[in-house]
Amino acid sequence: MLGAVEKYLLEKIKAEGSIHITLVDPEKITVSDASRLAENSKSNGTAAIMIGGSTFVSQNHLDDVVKTIKSTVNLPTILFPNNITGISSHADAIWFMSLLNSVDPYFLIGAQILGAPLVKKYGLEPISMGYIIVGEGGTAGIVGKAISVPYTKPELAAAHALAGQYLGMRFIYLEGGSGAATPVPPEMIRAVKHYVDAPVIVGGGIRSKEQALAAASAGADVIVTGNITEAADAKQRLSEIIAGIKSARA
Ligand code: 1GP
């Protein structure tokens, strides 16, 4: 049976074409900023809040950020863990993910084995996801010891994604790396969409309405932005990006 958050995401994608999710990196944010950011995101039409970063954050701070977001907005909170330290009992769901192009078995299955009992104990909804680092890949690529798929090799990204789907992963994430100079190219998104039926999440370096529109038009089901939500003009940028995503359907 599908969990409530996964069902919500699938129904929203079906109804709206492409949806936006805000990523909150607890390393970079105070609890009060997290609350303000969640409110901004909700008022601009984001579908859910993801919480996670690429390095270490104290478990207490992570818990506080999740709790604050939950008490501020009525949106699903989905953990986006880089390790077992990214698990909080206060969230609704967790991307239960494997970094498909890591050379380190820890990021393929090791952390998942250590984390699975906690996910069960906390009653978090696990949503299975294949995570693929592409392009420059950023900190996630370095920490996760990934052999990144170059932007010039869309067919290789598609092969990774299809392998993930055949292994039973229900979402595929193309990660260009937080703050990437260039977002995942539309050709790569199109190639992946051509191969897989699973919803495709795209993130990393999306900063403008045009970039969001290009990703959505290429078939991205979910567009994630993190960095821009920390900019001074975050509210304006977020509203433009979400407008861009919605206009892909028009
Ligand atoms: C990073 O894909 C996300 O994991 C979002 O990237 O911070 O560049 O928006 P940005």
Side-chain angles (χ1 to χ4, degrees):
M1 205 182 83
L2 279 190
V5 175
E6 185 167 355
K7 190 162 177 274
Y8 162 86
L9 292 175
L10 293 177
E11 281 171 2
K12 213 160 166 62
I13 290 167
K14 198 168 172 202
E16 297 177 17
S18 304
I19 61 172
H20 176 266
I21 296 185
T22 291
L23 171 64
V24 173
D25 185 344
E27 287 161 59
K28 297 186 185 161
I29 206 163
T30 62
V31 167
S32 55
D33 283 347
S35 159
R36 189 183 39 80
L37 176 56
E39 222 152 38
N40 276 352
S41 300
K42 163 113 190 181
S43 66
N44 280 303
T46 203
I49 310 281
M50 270 162 56
I51 301 140
S54 292
T55 49
F56 183 73
V57 66
S58 97
Q59 198 89 42
N60 288 345
H61 183 58
L62 172 67
D63 284 342
D64 288 345
V65 167
V66 178
K67 276 195 276 186
T68 303
I69 292 172
K70 279 203 69 73
S71 64
T72 311
V73 292
N74 182 22
L75 282 176
T77 48
I78 311 172
L79 298 168
F80 183 47
N82 71 317
N83 208 331
I84 50 167
T85 47
I87 306 175
S88 166
S89 62
H90 301 282
D92 299 305
I94 181 167
W95 289 118
F96 203 84
M97 53 203 271
S98 175
L99 176 45
L100 295 178
N101 51 343
S102 177
V103 296
D104 186 343
Y106 182 76
F107 294 103
L108 288 165
I109 187 62
Q112 296 78 355
I113 292 169
L114 295 175
L118 267 187
V119 170
K120 188 162 179 73
K121 181 175 170 192
Y122 293 159
L124 295 167
E125 177 186 331
I127 310 177
S128 154
M129 183 252 274
Y131 191 50
I132 306 165
I133 301 278
V134 298
E136 68 185 73
T139 309
I142 298 165
V143 171
K145 298 182 194 140
I147 299 181
S148 183
V149 181
Y151 281 166
T152 50
K153 303 276 180 201
E155 71 290 347
L156 251 186
H160 281 72
L162 193 59
Q165 177 176 304
Y166 286 168
L167 284 166
M169 290 154 184
R170 299 193 297 275
F171 285 77
I172 295 295
Y173 196 130
L174 294 177
E175 174 66 86
S178 185
T182 314
V184 182
E187 304 72 48
M188 185 175 266
I189 300 170
R190 259 193 293 274
V192 169
K193 282 296 289 182
H194 183 72
Y195 264 58
V196 303
D197 307 311
V200 174
I201 308 167
V202 175
I206 295 172
R207 297 176 181 82
S208 70
K209 179 178 182 171
E210 292 70 29
Q211 289 168 333
L213 172 60
S217 305
D221 298 283
V222 181
I223 288 164
V224 176
T225 61
N227 265 334
I228 58 112
T229 44
E230 289 144 26
D233 56 348
K235 205 165 181 179
Q236 173 68 19
R237 296 247 222 144
L238 207 54
S239 108
E240 286 173 10
I241 282 176
I242 294 174
I245 295 169
K246 290 193 194 301
S247 68
R249 206 169 191 221

